[in-house]
Amino acid sequence: MKVLCFDIASGGLSAAIIDEHLTALHTVEVPWTIALGVDGSAVLDLQTFDAAFLEGFRLLQESARTNRIAVDGICISAFMHNCIFLGERNEPLSPIFTWLDRRGEDGVELVRRKLGDRFHSLTGCRYHPMFPVFKIASPSLRPLFARFATANTIALERLTGNSVEDYGAASAAGLLDVRHSDWAPEILSLVQLQTSMLPALGGREQIVGTVSANAAARYGIQSGVPVVAGSGDGFFATLGSGCERSDRIAITL
């Protein structure tokens, strides 16, 4: 078995074809630079992301010396706390806000005034601008948008046509009721967000769909390959550290 794994990170996109022995047969990297502003902004242009995603596939083809990548599945890991606003035709209305972006204090204060300490018990998140909920709540950052997405959901949609966010990455947005594993109605109401504007929710091992004919032609991969939802890099780091059991803990600094 061979699985194509992507890691969408702050410094760029990495991809590897992994076999059943967890051996990386082919590994490529496409670096990018997060645009940092004096106002605290730290963003990635969607066009840069799309170009890197395409380049990752091209480099894998070159490494494997094949015209069409043949794998048994695809899985994606992405840096946490990122988000982007999209329009009616899925056009970007903002760049991808990364976890490094320090703007959104007005959104933090708006939610704090309404929810106080209950925000943490609802979502497991803290009052910090990196959480996407505060970008949504911020009048200074929020455009008139139709859809809310993340780098992971965009990658899944590019491959399958389906938009899904796993529960872990959804919780990292500050929009999930962690007690019921569903979007938090009280918070959605507070930030004027409807569930139709959000990706569907699923487990990290859920098959979102299969590589579409259009994606196969664009990326040079076999059509019909199953694509797994994946999750945030922090969650996968914990899993890879052998700390999925309740008697072990991993700490990331």
Side-chain angles (χ1 to χ4, degrees), residues 13-81:
L13 181 143
S14 302
I17 296 176
I18 311 291
D19 67 13
E20 63 271 20
H21 304 295
L22 300 183
T23 301
L25 304 178
H26 303 282
T27 304
V28 301
E29 293 186 7
V30 185
W32 56 47
T33 300
I34 300 295
L36 303 177
V38 295
D39 59 349
S41 60
V43 298
L44 178 68
D45 186 75
L46 181 59
Q47 187 175 8
T48 299
F49 171 81
D50 278 332
F53 198 46
L54 182 62
E55 179 69 358
F57 277 101
R58 189 194 69 78
L59 290 175
L60 280 174
Q61 286 175 276
E62 189 176 275
S63 175
R65 299 180 181 179
T66 180
N67 292 324
R68 189 163 295 275
I69 299 170
V71 292
D72 301 292
I74 299 175
C75 185
I76 299 173
S77 161
F79 56 144
M80 294 159 59
H81 316 301

Side-chain angles (χ1 to χ4, degrees), residues 195-212:
T195 53
S196 60
M197 303 165 75
L198 294 165
L201 288 169
R204 69 186 182 208
E205 299 173 2
Q206 175 181 323
I207 295 177
V208 172
T210 59
V211 173
S212 67

Side-chain angles (χ1 to χ4, degrees), residues 30-148:
V30 185
W32 56 47
T33 300
I34 300 295
L36 303 177
V38 295
D39 59 349
S41 60
V43 298
L44 178 68
D45 186 75
L46 181 59
Q47 187 175 8
T48 299
F49 171 81
D50 278 332
F53 198 46
L54 182 62
E55 179 69 358
F57 277 101
R58 189 194 69 78
L59 290 175
L60 280 174
Q61 286 175 276
E62 189 176 275
S63 175
R65 299 180 181 179
T66 180
N67 292 324
R68 189 163 295 275
I69 299 170
V71 292
D72 301 292
I74 299 175
C75 185
I76 299 173
S77 161
F79 56 144
M80 294 159 59
H81 316 301
N82 77 85
C83 67
I84 184 173
F85 298 115
L86 302 174
E88 291 282 356
R89 296 181 297 277
N90 289 331
E91 73 277 15
L93 301 180
S94 73
I96 298 173
F97 297 96
T98 71
W99 61 275
L100 290 161
D101 197 295
R102 294 183 282 110
R103 296 171 297 168
E105 283 289 355
D106 51 347
V108 171
E109 292 309 312
L110 185 151
V111 176
R112 195 198 305 269
R113 286 196 303 270
K114 296 290 186 178
L115 294 181
D117 293 340
R118 289 198 309 112
F119 175 72
H120 176 65
S121 61
L122 270 172
T123 66
C125 299
R126 299 288 185 180
Y127 285 117
H128 190 287
M130 75 175 181
F131 292 106
V133 62
F134 302 124
K135 299 294 191 287
I136 299 171
S138 170
S140 62
L141 296 176
R142 171 180 176 146
L144 184 62
F145 69 101
R147 289 185 57 215
F148 169 87

